[in-house]
Amino acid sequence: MQVLLEVMYEGQRDLLSNQTYNLDQLAFASDRIKDAQHTMTAMKAANKELKGMMKTVRIEDIDSMQDEMMDLMDVSNEIQETLGRSYNVPDDIDEEELMGELDALEADMDFESNSVPSYLQPDKETDLDSELNLPAAPSGHAAVLANRQQEDELGLPTVPHASIRT
């Protein structure tokens, strides 16, 4: 008899397990359909938006603009070539003479960089400190005051031990 009850309980358990599985599958299928509906709604809205945008953009306009930009670039290149032309430059330039001028310029630059400019040279005026009778600048460390409070590692005055409650 007990074996019969166990078989019945196992059968009921299997039935409930199958029913739960079927309900989960239905809920999953329902969620998938809802997701598909949302996706379709979003795709329809995007399609409508793209169609509206495409009405404002024409491929002929883009081609025309590209052609205009190419023309402008060509004009710009022609302007640069015209500005880059040289005037009154002889065809037979002596390389030795140019190199000599370059060497002379480099020598002038070296001379200027090695000499001290006038604004960095020492003054040739009299010593103003002796004329004003100013005292000499202090040297060494200042004297430490005897009644100075102790300081902690942050530079703050320390609390006396008598004031600390324990």
Side-chain angles (χ1 to χ4, degrees):
M1 170 110 167
Q2 187 160 354
V3 173
L4 184 62
L5 284 175
E6 284 181 18
V7 170
M8 284 176 45
Y9 284 139
E10 286 178 12
Q12 287 179 350
R13 186 191 66 203
D14 290 342
L15 283 174
L16 285 174
S17 175
N18 288 338
Q19 288 175 356
T20 304
Y21 176 77
N22 289 338
L23 288 174
D24 287 342
Q25 289 298 317
L26 286 172
F28 182 67
S30 175
D31 288 343
R32 286 190 321 209
I33 290 173
K34 286 178 186 175
D35 290 342
Q37 287 175 338
H38 291 301
T39 302
M40 285 300 297
T41 304
M43 288 174 65
K44 285 178 183 178
N47 189 15
K48 183 179 179 182
E49 183 75 23
L50 283 173
K51 283 181 181 179
M53 291 175 145
M54 291 305 288
K55 288 179 183 176
T56 61
V57 177
R58 295 184 340 190
I59 193 73
E60 295 85 21
D61 293 341
I62 294 172
D63 286 337
S64 171
M65 189 182 343
Q66 288 287 342
D67 291 340
E68 287 177 18
M69 290 182 74
M70 289 296 286
D71 292 341
L72 289 173
M73 290 299 294
D74 289 340
V75 170
S76 175
N77 287 336
E78 287 178 26
I79 290 171
Q80 293 301 320
E81 287 174 12
T82 302
L83 291 174
R85 277 192 253 159
S86 57
Y87 301 100
N88 295 329
V89 177
D91 291 335
D92 56 337
I93 298 175
D94 185 17
E95 292 287 328
E96 293 296 321
E97 185 179 338
L98 285 176
M99 290 305 291
E101 287 181 28
L102 181 62
D103 291 339
L105 285 172
E106 285 178 350
D108 285 346
M109 289 175 61
D110 286 341
F111 175 74
E112 287 176 5
S113 66
N114 290 336
S115 65
V116 177
S118 63
Y119 62 88
L120 292 178
Q121 292 178 356
D123 286 338
K124 295 180 180 159
E125 296 179 13
T126 59
D127 187 18
L128 293 177
D129 288 340
S130 63
E131 288 180 14
L132 295 175
N133 294 326
L134 296 174
S139 62
H141 297 288
V144 179
L145 300 175
N147 60 355
R148 189 169 178 205
Q149 270 189 325
Q150 295 286 333
E151 294 179 350
D152 63 3
E153 64 274 359
L154 300 175
L156 300 172
T158 57
V159 178
H161 291 289
S163 341
I164 299 177
R165 296 181 190 162
T166 56

